[in-house]
Structures are given as structure tokens and as C-alpha cells.
Amino acid sequence: AQKITQTQPGMFVQEKEAVTLDCTYDTSDQSYGLFWYKQPSSGEMIFLIYQGSYDEQNATEGRYSLNFQKARKSANLVISASQLGDSAMYFCAMSDTMNTGNQFYFGTGTSLTVIP
Amino acid sequence: NAGVTQTPKFRVLKTGQSMTLLCAQDMNHEYMYWYRQDPGMGLRLIHYSVGEGTTAKGEVPDGYNVSRLKKQNFLLGLESAAPSQTSVYFCASSYSMRLALYNEQFFGPGTRLTVL
């Protein structure tokens, strides 16, 4: 069963607008972590933001925020005031304690294009 | 402080050839991982290690072997390369985990492997 689902293969957003990238997850564990990574065309994986399952507040990091809805098992990434440099692939990932190695389960990614 | 490094960056193999990818980290991390990234499939875990001398299978381990003889190094081997192993390979590392703690995975720059 897919642990992480990203249903938007591609998204477009106008520069300076906000955009939401969807992520839903599946786990029966009570303790887990949710991550978002950015992969620009250069290929490296850049960590953006983290949300713990017990965190009551939504995580924020600069222009990035994570809209965490635990009951719906969703962890959407919100990018405010989009910039041209935000054009990249975005991956949602989860780690839970159902494994011994802190394994990450990745979604298939969303390709974001920021339009000038 | 180089973080996570991978050698080589690019490689072309013929079917049946063997090779070893080297991953090194200088952050004293306990956990290390090998992923492969294929178009439309996100990152999939091949093998991982929870400490020196230990290895375990991930989601797609067939056709690969790994070794963790030193804490800072994690080697991925292909004994008899196949075209289906054409992919981008990422190494990552993280601190030993309890999910009460923030536990990001740090990624290397990737190795692009083509098997003809």
C-alpha cells in the first residue's frame, strides 16, 4: 500500500502567488514525522520543512508552511509569495516507528513551475 | 564539513559489468541509506544501515548488495548490472532516531548510472 500519495504530478503558479502542494499519508503509528524536500533541476535534495505527529502547531520555515491535518492524514505544503527559483520537484516523505531504520517513504513528487 | 558525498557522479556500464558506488558522510551519523530515483516513481529505498557493520533490505533490494565496514562509509554494489538498474542513486544519512526528535535525512548529490 502506498504510504505517501501526491496526486498532483504538475502544478503551475504565478510569481508572487501562493501555492499548495498536496500530500496524504497512511500509517497506523501514532508517532511519525512528515518532511518536504525540494529537488531543483540540478538534482540535489533540499530539506524544506518538518512536522512531527505530536506537534500541535503547523510547522513554518520562512515562506514554507505545512498544513497538517492529522485526522485527514494530510500534510500539504504551502509556499507563499512564489519565486522563479521555486520551480522544482517537491517530494513529501514520512518516517514512522513501524520500522527500525528510520526509513523514509517518499511520494512520487509534484513538479512546480512558477510563471513570471 | 562536506556533508554527504557520493562517488562517482556519473557512470556508464555495459550489461553484466559490476561496480561499487561509494557514499561518505562526515556528520557522525548512525543511519545511512541508498535510494534509487526513477521518473514518476519518487525515491525508493534499496538498502539501509542502522550502524557500523549492519545492513538491512529496503523496498527494492534485488540486484544490489551493500556494506558498512566503517561508520562514515556506505557502499552500494551491483554485481551484474542490468538495464533496469539505470537510475539516479542517492545516498542519505541521519542521526539515530527517536521520532520525538526532529530527524532529517541529509542527501548526497546523486550518481547517475546508465546500463547499456
Side-chain angles (χ1 to χ4, degrees), chain A residues 20-63:
Chain A
T20 298
L21 306 183
D22 294 341
C23 173
T24 57
Y25 60 91
D26 179 28
T27 181
S28 57
D29 202 350
Q30 296 302 310
S31 183
Y32 51 89
L34 296 156
F35 303 78
W36 277 91
Y37 282 83
K38 172 184 178 181
Q39 187 179 41
S41 57
S42 51
E44 72 268 32
M45 295 288 286
I46 302 168
F47 166 75
L48 295 177
I49 197 167
Y50 163 83
Q51 178 86 41
S53 59
Y54 293 116
D55 295 339
E56 294 184 354
Q57 303 273 359
N58 285 344
T60 61
E61 288 286 348
R63 293 187 298 110

Side-chain angles (χ1 to χ4, degrees), chain A residues 37 39 43 47 101-102 104, chain B residues 31 33 37 90 94 102-103 105:
Chain A
Y37 282 83
Q39 187 179 41
F47 166 75
N102 187 30
F104 271 29
Chain B
Y31 287 39
Y33 315 83
Q37 184 179 25
F90 284 96
S94 68
Y102 160 81
N103 196 18
Q105 287 193 8

Side-chain angles (χ1 to χ4, degrees), chain A residues 6 70 75 79-80 92:
Chain A
Q6 294 180 254
K70 196 170 183 176
I79 305 174
S80 63
C92 180

Side-chain angles (χ1 to χ4, degrees), chain B residues 37-50:
Chain B
Q37 184 179 25
D38 302 296
M41 301 193 73
L43 278 77
R44 293 181 293 167
L45 183 66
I46 304 171
H47 286 281
Y48 65 97
S49 167
V50 301

Side-chain angles (χ1 to χ4, degrees), chain B residues 35-38 85-90 109-113:
Chain B
Y35 294 91
R36 62 177 288 172
Q37 184 179 25
D38 302 296
Q85 294 177 304
T86 294
S87 189
V88 179
Y89 292 85
F90 284 96
T111 295
R112 187 172 294 274
L113 175 66

